[in-house]
Amino acid sequence: LSQELDRQGRLSWAVEEFARIPDTIKKLDVGPREMDPDGFWFLPGVRQMDPTTRGRVRALYLLRERFASRLDRPAFKVFGTPLLFDLAVNPPDSLASLQPRNGLRQSGINKFGKDVVEALQQAKPVKGPAPKRSRRRQNRRLTDVTSRERFEALRHARSSLAAELGV
């Protein structure tokens, strides 16, 4: 790729653009996402569960979010939703009764087991309806006329310049 860019006289452009990437990333200021304590309501099947099981799901969901934040990993990589539901429906009585299962190996029990059992034992039933969540826009198209016009003008200018430069 570098040889092709050099042949077209564009290698210095690429080097310049790549050098700007770290500063651009710093300017984005992407911090940790905010944890939604009611997010468990939007896991598939939670609304049909009884209040006691729903309370266990909530406790495990909050625990999973806390571990994910601490480990800087996506929550589903800490424990998947099927495991979360399995533990909520079939809770272990103690750390000794927490056995490996689909999605939870012995190393996970050693690392998280005490906290999982404790969260399940302290879980309180969750009653009542799920909170309303604001609807997100279904498409990502620009709906503001001015923004749409600016976008189209920029897209046209970019396409024209790219055709001129042969890129």
Side-chain angles (χ1 to χ4, degrees), residues 12 18 29 59 61 87-88 124 138 160:
S12 62
F18 292 146
D29 189 32
Y61 173 85
L87 288 167
K124 295 186 180 6
Q138 294 298 319
S160 298

Side-chain angles (χ1 to χ4, degrees), residues 68-85:
S69 176
R70 189 180 324 151
L71 297 169
D72 193 27
R73 300 188 69 175
F76 73 91
K77 295 264 185 170
V78 176
F79 347 117
T81 302
L83 173 63
L84 200 137
F85 285 177

Side-chain angles (χ1 to χ4, degrees), residues 10-83:
R10 306 288 190 258
L11 182 60
S12 62
W13 292 8
V15 169
E16 185 179 320
E17 289 301 315
F18 292 146
R20 290 179 4 167
I21 291 174
D23 288 335
T24 304
I25 290 171
K26 286 178 191 173
K27 289 177 187 173
L28 291 176
D29 189 32
V30 177
R33 69 178 177 85
E34 234 177 86
M35 198 273 295
D36 179 6
D38 289 328
F40 77 97
W41 279 105
F42 303 99
L43 296 174
V46 167
R47 295 168 195 245
Q48 290 76 36
M49 293 178 171
D50 64 86
T52 303
T53 305
R54 199 180 300 136
R56 290 186 201 123
V57 168
R58 180 181 191 276
L60 292 170
Y61 173 85
L62 294 173
L63 181 67
R64 175 175 82 169
E65 292 290 324
R66 197 172 74 230
F67 285 146
S69 176
R70 189 180 324 151
L71 297 169
D72 193 27
R73 300 188 69 175
F76 73 91
K77 295 264 185 170
V78 176
F79 347 117
T81 302
L83 173 63

Side-chain angles (χ1 to χ4, degrees), residues 121-141:
Q121 290 172 345
Q122 294 176 1
K124 295 186 180 6
V126 175
K127 299 176 184 173
K132 294 209 184 278
R133 186 179 258 187
S134 63
R135 282 186 53 112
R136 292 186 225 176
R137 214 167 65 203
Q138 294 298 319
N139 61 36
R140 298 186 183 274
R141 285 182 263 160

Side-chain angles (χ1 to χ4, degrees), residues 140-155:
R140 298 186 183 274
R141 285 182 263 160
L142 299 170
T143 54
D144 175 28
V145 174
T146 306
S147 297
R148 186 74 184 149
E149 288 172 351
R150 282 182 179 168
F151 174 77
E152 290 299 332
L154 178 61
R155 189 166 68 113

